[in-house]
Amino acid sequence: MPCVDTTQLLKGVLDLAVLAVLREEDGYGYDILRRLRTAGLEEVGDASVYGTLRRLFQNGLLTTYVVPSEEGPHRKYYALNAAGRTQLAQSGKVWRSFASTMDNLLDEPGVAA
Amino acid sequence: MNGTETRSDEIARYLAGVEAALLDLPADVRDELLEDLPDHLAEVASEDSGPLQARLGSPASYAAELRAAAGLMSAKTPGTGAARLTDWLSLATDLYRRADARGGRLIGYPRLSEYLRLLRPGWWVLRGYVLDVVVFGLSNRMTSVIPLVGGGKWLTGMVVLLGCVVGSVWFGRRAGRWRESWQRYGLRALNLVLGVLLIVVAFQLSDDIRDGWQAANASPVSYQDNEPSDVIPVGSDGRPLSGVRLFDQNGNALNLGDPYSCPSAPATPYLYPMCADPYAAFGVPSWWPGAASLGPSSSAGVQPSTVPSTAVPSITPTPSAGVSATPRPSSATPTASVSG
């Protein structure tokens, strides 16, 4: 294998990333996509974000509401609900322990930092 | 339409492409999945002046990504290879539809395929002819436009051709009612093969007709594939001659060889040797002193020996490059009149 494929990594953590982005502030699809890209996940695909939002909503982790806008179309905003927050906390823990395991693995002697 | 697609046209087309790739989903699920897409595309389009497809990938791959991220596996579960194939197919269909509509507009029909459908009976007749030629004509050389069957008889050839054409038309009318997809694809493949063969037949026919014409107009002296490109006369003393003309027993000039095969065109064609430095052909450079006399074995290299025995050329050397218009039937000994 040539190197770590970031798109493969993204697939595993995109749910968590979307939940995390929505923790501070509600957002509509394109806005969430932009926040993820700004945060550094530049390779995230448009369709992946929209699909993920739909699945999280379907699983009862998000609520939606429509905001009329003066200049453009009405926008569907997504917000975390209680289940979403719980999920974010749990998944966050799993990620942290996974990340620290990987860190330890990489910090072992013999592996270049 | 004036050739350029507006941005909203492009968005609508992209949207339709994504929707088409999700047609296997229940309508409510699909609608929900596509709810945000028009706004999203409008926003992408307003930010980025390039084509949507460059930024987002093909509609089919967008749909596949959307589907995968939403956790909605398709009935077909496209793998990466299959997804790529469907992408290509959707692109090809798209191109075909555009060409179809654009071509139709040129000739005043809604679609080019609609017009071509009108020509179908004509193709059936042509197909019958191609079949006839392929089965009965290509096996032996085509000597006429209609393959002559049964000992080269026109009548039987015509009957067989008529049979092929009638069969093809009958088959075409019958195949028009086929509905199974394997039948329709099989028919398309067959028509494609026969269409390609039609081109082959056309080339073969034109070749054969030209060959026949050439055979009828061929010169009486025939060397088949061994035609000399030049004649190199050598005297009995082994010295090469120059400015030599050739005549046959009737005094007709023998124009052997091809002046255009020389590295540089000769000043007077058919005055042998025609090419400037023919002695290179013997492997001896002309500046070598011995090149002037090629030794006793030189007669083996004399080109006129390839002339058929029926037309014995009498070598008539001319001392200068001047034209000797009077043919001298008796063979002259060239030694005395060699120039240079």
Side-chain angles (χ1 to χ4, degrees):
Chain A
M1 225 167 73
C3 60
V4 178
D5 186 350
T6 19
T7 54
Q8 287 296 323
L9 286 180
L10 261 175
K11 262 182 204 164
V13 296
L14 190 56
D15 287 18
L16 184 56
V18 169
L19 291 174
V21 154
L22 285 172
R23 184 178 47 193
E24 301 300 330
E25 201 185 339
D26 301 349
Y28 58 95
Y30 197 55
D31 174 45
I32 293 165
L33 176 68
R34 226 164 0 202
R35 281 194 234 165
L36 287 169
R37 293 226 167 111
T38 314
L41 300 176
E42 271 142 32
E43 276 158 83
V44 71
D46 298 46
S48 298
V49 172
Y50 280 91
T52 302
L53 283 170
R54 195 235 170 230
R55 186 164 39 79
L56 294 177
F57 173 74
Q58 211 64 26
N59 293 349
L61 303 177
L62 303 178
T63 53
T64 63
Y65 53 94
V66 172
V67 175
S69 81
E70 304 84 55
E71 74 273 27
H74 295 187
R75 278 176 177 145
K76 188 158 101 174
Y77 273 73
Y78 292 88
L80 282 185
N81 59 17
R85 283 178 204 285
T86 317
Q87 179 71 43
L88 174 60
Q90 283 174 355
S91 297
K93 248 179 240 167
V94 172
W95 169 255
R96 278 183 210 285
S97 95
F98 180 78
S100 72
T101 306
M102 283 306 295
D103 283 346
N104 288 340
L105 211 55
L106 293 172
D107 285 344
E108 268 171 27
V111 182
Chain B
M1 223 166 97
N2 45 17
T4 53
E5 192 177 35
T6 65
R7 206 60 167 160
S8 58
D9 281 346
E10 190 193 0
I11 289 172
R13 198 163 53 81
Y14 195 92
L15 199 59
V18 176
E19 198 175 352
L22 298 173
L23 277 179
D24 58 313
L25 296 175
D28 55 328
V29 176
R30 185 172 62 241
D31 289 347
E32 199 193 340
L33 203 55
L34 295 174
E35 195 180 20
D36 293 334
L37 193 54
D39 296 348
H40 173 58
L41 293 178
E43 252 173 301
V44 170
S46 68
E47 267 188 11
D48 199 328
S49 59
L52 283 177
Q53 187 140 344
R55 154 84 197 269
L56 299 171
S58 75
S61 69
Y62 188 95
E65 196 184 326
L66 194 62
R67 189 197 286 269
L72 299 162
M73 275 303 124
S74 70
K76 288 168 276 179
T77 21
T80 46
R84 210 167 299 148
L85 186 66
T86 41
D87 278 8
W88 275 107
L89 282 178
S90 88
L91 189 68
T93 339
D94 196 41
L95 282 175
Y96 166 75
R97 288 219 182 94
R98 279 157 162 246
D100 198 16
R102 200 155 291 182
R105 223 175 296 132
L106 280 176
I107 53 170
Y109 279 83
R111 282 172 191 290
L112 188 62
S113 55
E114 222 159 282
Y115 172 71
L116 291 178
R117 209 159 286 139
L118 296 175
L119 298 181
R120 209 177 254 173
W123 159 243
W124 294 341
V125 172
L126 205 56
R127 183 174 61 184
Y129 171 67
V130 173
L131 203 67
D132 183 29
V133 171
V134 167
V135 175
F136 300 103
L138 289 188
S139 51
N140 40 31
R141 258 179 118 66
M142 291 276 290
T143 48
S144 62
V145 175
I146 295 170
L148 304 176
V149 190
K153 293 212 173 62
W154 274 91
L155 187 66
T156 43
M158 285 297 284
V159 169
V160 169
L161 172 62
L162 202 68
C164 285
V165 169
V166 169
S168 172
V169 171
W170 172 83
F171 179 74
R173 289 178 60 85
R174 196 182 150 78
R177 292 195 292 269
W178 285 354
R179 288 293 167 262
E180 300 281 338
S181 62
W182 66 267
Q183 288 176 323
R184 300 184 74 83
Y185 280 117
L187 183 65
R188 270 179 217 176
L190 180 74
N191 276 335
L192 189 69
V193 169
L194 287 173
V196 170
L197 281 173
L198 173 66
I199 297 168
V200 174
V201 165
F203 273 107
Q204 183 68 39
L205 211 56
S206 70
D207 266 10
D208 286 352
I209 287 168
R210 196 195 57 207
D211 286 354
W213 185 86
Q214 280 181 343
N217 295 280
S219 81
V221 179
S222 174
Y223 288 87
Q224 302 299 337
D225 298 325
N226 222 3
E227 199 153 352
S229 63
D230 198 353
V231 173
I232 295 155
V234 178
S236 63
D237 62 347
R239 293 170 69 85
L241 311 177
S242 67
V244 174
R245 281 185 186 282
L246 301 180
F247 298 90
D248 70 2
Q249 71 284 354
N250 298 320
N252 300 316
L254 272 180
N255 291 342
L256 294 174
D258 178 11
Y260 297 102
S261 69
C262 292
S264 59
T268 319
Y270 308 117
L271 202 61
Y272 302 105
M274 283 195 290
C275 297
D277 187 15
Y279 304 105
F282 293 95
V284 180
S286 57
W287 46 261
W288 185 62
S293 101
L294 291 164
S297 65
S298 63
S299 58
V302 176
Q303 295 293 79
S305 63
T306 56
V307 175
S309 54
T310 51
V312 181
S314 48
I315 298 169
T316 309
T318 47
S320 65
V323 180
S324 101
T326 49
R328 272 171 282 176
S330 62
S331 94
T333 350
T335 42
S337 50
V338 166
S339 67

